[in-house]
Amino acid sequence: MTSLKANVIISFIVLFLLLLISVEADSQRWGREGRWSGNRTQAILQQNDSLPADTLLSDSLSVDTVPKKKDGLDAPVSYEASDSIVFTQDGYAHLFGDGKVNYPSQHIELTAEVISMNMDSSTVYAHGVEDSVGVMQGLPVFKDGDTPYETNTIRYNFKSKKGLISNVVSQQGEGYVTGNNAKKGSGDELYMKKGRYTTCDNHEHPHFYMQMTYAKVRPKKNVVTGPAYLVVEDVPLPLAVPFFFFPFSSSYQSGFLMPTYMDDSSRGFGLTDGGYYFAISDQMDLQLTADIFTKGSWALRAQSNYVKRYKFSGSFQFDYQVTKTGDKGLSDYMVAKDFKVVWSHRQDAKANPNSTFSASVNFSTSSYERTNIDNLYNSQLMSQNTKTSSVSYSRNFFNNLLSISATANIAQTMRDSSISVTLPDLNISLSTVYPFRRKHRVGDEKWYEKINLRYTGRMTNSIQTKDNLLFKSNLVRDWENAMQHNIPISATFTLFNYFNVTPSFNYTERWYPRKITKGWDEHAQQEIETDTTYGFHRVYDYSASIGINTKIYGMYKPILFPKKEIQIRHVITPSISFSGSPNFGSSHYGYYDSYVRTDRNGLPVDTVRYSYYQDQPFFSGYSGKSGTVTFDLSNNLEMKYRDKNDSIRKISLIDELGLGISYNFAAKEQPWSDLDFRLRMKITKNYTLSMSSRFATYAYEFDENGNVYVGNRTEWSYGRFGRWSGYGTSFSWTLNNDTWNKIRKLFRGGDDEESGEKSGEGDAAADGEQSASTTDSGKKTKQKAEVDEDGYQVFKMPWSINFSTGFNISEDTSKPINRKRMRYPYKFSLNALNINGNIKISNKWSVNFNSGYDFNAKEITQTTFNITRDLHCFSMSASIAPFGRWKYYNFTIRANASILQDLKYEQRSQTQSNIQWY
């Protein structure tokens, strides 16, 4: 009995052990929780548990528990694969097909085609596989936080956070760090031997790199290396450094700006653009740089950008430079002190709907652009003749009824150092108001309710002088200042339902701070200012007018092309107006005076009449009493027809054809004005002819000395039409790929819509390279080049050439007049022909040029050629100016990355003007 009980107990113990071993084996194989989603297997490794309980699909199994290990992970690790997950009894889990392991608590993620995990040691090993053509697929990508690493193989321990990586690629800032074998430390740093640093995104075969003997990489912080040397296209160059340090930062911070070495024949050896960058805040920065040369030239420069969201943004720059050229003590020695101020301010449209402020300032001394070292190889800046600056502020009041705006303007002429300053130019404007209109109208509108008035006021303070005398000028004696008020009153009535009658009255008043009396200096034989009276001087004038206009419509249907249903509409707009004003030049108003002009013997020659205010702003002169009738006739011609699609189309044949002339009843001589002629019509889709000219009414006559002058007899009295005064215009024309296609289609026939076919926009692929495109994510993808029906690559070379010029037709009074017709011969003069264009020879090559010809000076204008070549991670550029006042050349090869801005080769001409080309 005792033996039987012992056997039963032993049997239960053996059975229990067998069950325990079976559960342990199943737990190691399947893990705690296994499930399928589609054809994808996912699992989660529980923290502190190498053999957790498991479930499979919807089957419920008994849950077994095992003691927790003391050295396990502190959080779950999830893993999944698209093909399969295989567990082995030695504690490994193998993930096949797009394997992914995620450790969320440490922000660690690993993806690869094949991943092997050791459950006991918390170690993973990942690698890719070769496809049928021997190309590696599914290479591991290890992501620690926000830092990704592309590798061939990786072995990583989740607990120690250390690993071994082969062929690692990590992007740091603008560059990439690659290495055959690297060790990842627990602090996310990488230790590597024989690594590379490059800004080229071709990881397998970079065009250039710094070969590092030893390196430590701290992601998003810095790279520190031992001895390193430069390798270009697998060719080591004798350019080495004992160490280098590359800092990386995604934050906004201050730092030093390394200077650039320069050798100039006029200034000597120098360092340029060195200084310090201040990251003041997220809304503002400051950059201070300086230049210095061995011959004494130096410069200081301050640049700042600022922005306030939804308020304003802008930039400010101030330069001061001292340029010393030549040898001290010799005749060619020169010292120039120049400065430049550039300010741009933009207000957000949403900031304040009732007020606006803007600034566009580009002010410099006249010699700045010619002495600045950075401008000596830019012909556009060197040949710049004028500069304009403006600062403006405006504000609206009373629901936009009243507006006030102030503007400060500066215009510079670099050729003669002259400057024109207006500070300020104040404008006050009152919108149209109807003073007699009822607030709550009942019935029809009364005639007096149509009367309206406006007010505009303008105050100006200006000076024209040389730039070196601007700050030495006197505000009262040298500056011209005045204020003008204008009040127009008008109304519009309808007469007989067809005529619009517009009476108006205009009052203008001007305020001047001084009154100038003039006289005649018989010794100098010139007009002089004899007295200036300072104070408040009021000058006014007024005029009244009434105008009548209507419209006359005419329709015409030609008998040609009946299927087109052509209709032509002619609109005639005649108008007549009468205006009058008294003689404000009479002595009653006191605006005019006179003096007697004498010869050197003191004998009177004639009497000169002048105004006390004729040289001051807003003065327009007074021509005496006037009573003028003005006639104007405007025509418009339009046509509509039915096109081939049975749709009605309307086109304008003549936008406007107008004539205008006036007659002054109060004038004792030459009451007729000249005949004004205007024409506007659309010639082509891109060109509209706008012509405005004048036909003189009165004919030429001879005086007693045989000189030609304009007499009092009209051309009509001689049986001739008015004398044409001439015409001038300017135009431009652009030629490109589409132009030739359209011309070919025009002669061969065909649909215009098929011409072009992106000929102006396609990528040129003359280099035989695959064209590159950029995806939304910013990554460049290669596409196969387009081929023709014979299998050859399609050659595309986008190009564009723009021609711009103009012409003038005018009377040539330097030639003898035709005595029979009493006409001077006409001369035809061409404006300078400007030519600029660009040609994209291939995906990588582009050429642009700018040239022209001055027909008056009979010489070629400033000519520049620029050639650029994209070398992937490098860029090459060459510019040359063989013609014009400034001749130069410049050749540069530089790295594209801003962090390697000093990695460049530059060769250029010296800045002296006596360049010998051949």
Side-chain angles (χ1 to χ4, degrees), residues 597-669:
R597 187 164 62 93
T598 61
D599 58 15
R600 295 188 180 276
N601 298 322
L603 299 177
V605 177
D606 56 8
T607 300
V608 178
R609 186 176 173 82
Y610 73 94
S611 173
Y612 299 118
Y613 316 100
Q614 64 185 20
D615 298 326
Q616 301 191 51
F618 308 130
F619 182 81
S620 58
Y622 305 103
S623 57
K625 184 179 179 180
S626 67
T628 305
V629 177
T630 303
F631 305 93
D632 190 87
L633 185 66
S634 179
N635 297 267
N636 172 263
L637 207 61
E638 294 180 341
M639 180 180 73
K640 66 178 182 179
Y641 64 95
R642 192 176 298 276
D643 61 10
K644 60 182 180 181
N645 298 324
D646 203 28
S647 300
I648 301 298
R649 295 190 61 184
K650 185 174 70 173
I651 61 174
S652 175
L653 301 177
I654 299 177
D655 293 341
E656 184 189 20
L657 173 62
L659 299 172
I661 195 172
S662 64
Y663 183 84
N664 187 359
F665 289 97
K668 296 181 180 180
E669 294 182 351

Side-chain angles (χ1 to χ4, degrees), residues 212-228:
M212 305 178 296
T213 54
Y214 299 93
K216 178 181 179 181
V217 181
R218 301 173 63 195
K220 295 187 177 181
K221 292 183 179 180
N222 53 57
V223 174
V224 183
T225 76

Side-chain angles (χ1 to χ4, degrees), residues 48 68-74 120-122 159:
N48 300 324
K68 295 182 179 180
K69 295 190 176 182
K70 296 181 180 180
D71 56 350
L73 299 176
D74 60 355
D120 297 329
S121 61
S122 302
K159 290 188 292 185

Side-chain angles (χ1 to χ4, degrees), residues 340-345 359-363 388-391 408 410:
K340 181 177 183 179
V341 177
V342 179
W343 180 30
S344 176
H345 181 89
S360 177
V361 177
N362 183 13
F363 179 82
T388 58
S389 303
S390 66
V391 179
I410 301 177

